[in-house]
Amino acid sequence: GDMINMDYISLFEGNKIDKLSFENRYLLVGKNSMIFPEFDQHLIGTLKNEQKKVTLKLTPDFVYKEYADKNIEVSFTVKEIKNVIKPELNDEFVKTVGEFSSVDDLRARLSEIIKDEKQNGIDNKNSTTLIEELIKRNDFYVPESLVNAQIDAMIKESQKDYKMKGININSNKEEIGEVKEFYREGAIK
């Protein structure tokens, strides 16, 4: 897909939602990298400097609870469109992206990583199941400092994921409080 730069303003019941309104936001079209579900479909075919207004239904588990499972209106202007050119996958290219001697070398390393990740996923699932069973059968006191440290780690991981998708989350104190509350139950577990 194309990389676009856009400004957008989100409204709920006619009122601007500051934490969901941005200027100069970069987005890779076709990767569902916005925090709004299915927003990409409204970007396809949009021209530079074109203004559009769409209504979006947010998911029930939307990060900002006050807007979860509700319709919002998003007005946006595409300011810039860049065609993303994918380089040819060849030995010359893979040598520039890491310590690989060839495409086969890269594929072998990726295969190892995928195998390790799959095993880690199985291990994490088993650990999670065990921890959940221990929690059900026993009462544990979890210090608030430990809960807060886990919440902070979860937020940093989410921010990293959003950043990789081209989404920059700038939160004020009120928003951070809401996000922390969203992660609280998971952090306690």
Side-chain angles (χ1 to χ4, degrees):
D2 293 331
M3 176 69 72
I4 65 165
N5 179 356
M6 62 188 276
D7 295 340
Y8 62 93
I9 297 173
S10 301
L11 303 169
F12 177 67
E13 297 178 346
N15 297 312
K16 182 180 177 185
I17 308 169
D18 288 329
K19 56 188 160 191
L20 297 176
S21 299
F22 297 94
E23 292 183 3
N24 294 314
R25 179 59 52 109
Y26 283 91
L27 169 71
L28 188 60
V29 178
K31 297 294 182 185
N32 281 322
S33 57
M34 288 287 290
I35 59 174
F36 304 130
E38 301 175 20
F39 185 71
D40 279 15
Q41 69 187 8
H42 300 287
L43 294 170
I44 296 171
T46 303
L47 303 174
K48 183 177 178 180
N49 297 320
E50 185 175 355
Q51 296 179 343
K52 283 190 177 179
K53 185 184 288 189
V54 298
T55 300
L56 301 172
K57 172 84 170 176
L58 300 179
T59 59
D61 61 344
F62 191 69
V63 67
Y64 299 115
K65 296 286 187 205
E66 67 268 32
Y67 305 113
D69 207 30
K70 296 197 170 52
N71 289 324
I72 65 166
E73 198 171 83
V74 179
S75 298
F76 63 93
T77 304
V78 172
K79 296 166 57 172
E80 183 180 16
I81 302 172
K82 293 183 178 184
N83 188 12
V84 177
I85 300 170
K86 295 180 183 175
E88 182 181 342
L89 183 60
N90 57 32
D91 291 347
E92 184 179 312
F93 172 72
V94 298
K95 289 175 185 175
T96 66
V97 296
E99 297 180 18
F100 307 106
S101 59
S102 66
V103 173
D104 290 337
D105 185 26
L106 172 65
R107 286 189 174 128
R109 180 65 187 123
L110 289 175
S111 180
E112 287 175 31
I113 291 169
I114 291 168
K115 191 168 126 182
D116 290 347
E117 289 294 322
K118 190 173 183 180
Q119 184 59 47
N120 287 340
I122 292 169
D123 293 346
N124 287 340
K125 185 177 181 194
N126 291 340
S127 294
T128 301
T129 303
L130 177 63
I131 290 168
E132 287 174 353
E133 194 59 35
L134 284 170
I135 289 170
K136 274 191 233 175
R137 294 181 185 199
N138 300 286
D139 286 331
F140 289 98
Y141 168 74
V142 182
E144 192 64 24
S145 60
L146 185 60
V147 172
N148 288 333
Q150 181 62 26
I151 290 170
D152 290 343
M154 293 166 83
I155 289 171
K156 283 181 184 175
E157 186 66 26
S158 292
Q159 287 173 328
K160 186 173 91 174
D161 290 344
Y162 279 127
K163 189 172 184 177
M164 286 176 58
K165 292 179 178 180
I167 301 169
N168 183 19
I169 306 261
N170 295 321
S171 300
N172 61 35
K173 286 183 181 182
E174 178 184 313
E175 291 168 349
I176 290 171
E178 291 173 12
V179 172
K180 284 186 175 192
E181 195 56 40
F182 177 79
Y183 285 114
R184 186 166 206 59
E185 185 178 327
I188 290 172
K189 286 183 179 180

